[in-house]
Amino acid sequence: MLRFNKTAVLALLIATSSVFLLFQLYHYRQHVSQNGPHIFGRTVHLSGKDTQWQVVKKFMGLVHKYNMPVFLVDTASLGLLSQDSMLLRDSLVKEPHCAFLCTNRDVLTFALLNNLWKYDAGLVAAAEEKGFELLEVRGKDPRLVSMDDLSGNEIPLHFLFRLQGYVVHVVVLYERSGNYLWHGVLRLKPNMDRKFAPFRRLDYGRNAGAYDRPELVLTTLDGLDVRIPRNISGFLTEYSHARFLECRYRDARSFFQLYPDDTSPEAMNFRMKAKALLHLAARILTELRVPFWLSSGTCLGWFRQCGVIPYSKDVDLGIWIKDYRHDITQAFQKAGLPLKHKFGKVEDSLELSFQGLDVKLDIFFFYEETDVVWNGGTQAKSGKKFKYVFPKFTLCWTELMDLKVRVPCETVDYVSANYGPTWNTPVKTWDWKSSPPNVQDNGVWPVREWDEVIQVY
């Protein structure tokens, strides 16, 4: 009679059970991947992250079907990623797993490069077929608006895909003539569902925004192929300062109806030279990484008439004194703009002026105090100092003469401080020492410092 080795029998039973369990696990995974999370007719309740991942996965399927060139701009997701995110393709497990695209929020945001995508009306039906509800928000195309035509065609600005309580927000980015990307405000029309999405918690749409074109890389996040900005920290920095103000064409047209535009050869020549000078100054300061904004008469011209004031004869820029660099003067001179004068010093009332082709470039440096900011002025022949006081302001992007530039976001407060409540009325006779309502006497430079603080060339 055969005698069985108990140890051998036990090992055989364990091996058989293990094979059976592995087969069952393989069959379960195959069944779920083909038919969804259902077992024997009973629905398996997914966790919040699992549900969100399924929603994102369906959305990415829609993206690939319609060749929509989207890239991830969600601030929470990008904040989780490091500069080494490109390596995730090789390191992430390709299982239903959501670490970067599923955050504690119920919204995920992508941007769509409109110039690389042709709008397809079939998108709505395809989205519904996948179970999505779709809200499309349109608005006027600012690229087609001018003082001659204020209508503007409507273009898609935002898409919101909703499924199982989660929203995928797609922000449409358009190329503007200043070689930058722009998105519009998310403004609901009266007949739209104001409860469709948590609109107050969306990253994008409260204001229009402007961005430099980011370099994109394709990586794998949570098992899905996704494009992201290569320089994530740089993009997030841009996001925090991206607010864009559109030129006020309607008000500008009203202004020119009262005060007809100067179209003389002299005025047209000035505009051409001012544009060239502004573009050159912007290139120099951008290369130096020195942020600047339109100030004084140049800011007034943009705000009041969407252009430059032809009788101003100069271009005015503002720079925070904290951003001053000692090589600014050298950089402008190297670019062919000689120094015309230098007043003040870094500690007090610094002002630089460069000479272009019949157009002067004035750079005013701004100092911050507790409740106000100010820039200084100096009278060369007497050494008198002046102080121009402004309420505190933040900076926004805008476009002037095919250039993306900054302006004070609180523009009306800025120009009102500098030009008074009648800023909308042209004044051709202007005394920089007495005409501005915000000018104050600020003492006199000591004679012993004149060689340093009063330099005229």
Side-chain angles (χ1 to χ4, degrees), residues 141-202:
D141 188 345
R143 301 169 300 175
L144 303 178
V145 177
S146 68
M147 279 177 280
D148 297 324
D149 182 8
L150 299 178
S151 57
N153 295 328
E154 284 209 334
I155 53 175
L157 299 178
H158 299 266
F159 294 103
L160 294 109
F161 298 82
R162 184 174 70 180
L163 178 62
Q164 297 184 50
Y166 291 97
V167 173
V168 179
H169 179 197
V170 178
V171 184
V172 188
L173 295 174
Y174 291 87
E175 285 189 337
R176 295 286 292 258
S177 57
N179 194 30
Y180 62 96
L181 300 176
W182 167 91
H183 72 76
V185 177
L186 197 163
R187 184 172 289 118
L188 297 178
K189 295 184 178 179
N191 61 336
M192 290 183 172
D193 182 3
R194 279 163 166 70
K195 296 182 179 179
F196 187 90
F199 293 104
R200 293 183 180 275
R201 298 201 299 272
L202 298 182

Side-chain angles (χ1 to χ4, degrees), residues 319-352:
I319 295 177
W320 297 116
I321 194 61
K322 64 182 176 61
D323 294 319
Y324 172 76
R325 289 178 49 150
H326 290 282
D327 54 351
I328 287 179
T329 298
Q330 181 182 357
F332 275 95
Q333 291 178 325
K334 186 177 180 180
L337 298 176
L339 184 64
K340 185 177 177 65
H341 70 241
K342 176 184 177 183
F343 294 147
K345 51 187 176 181
V346 175
E347 297 80 14
D348 183 9
S349 304
L350 183 63
E351 174 190 342
L352 299 176

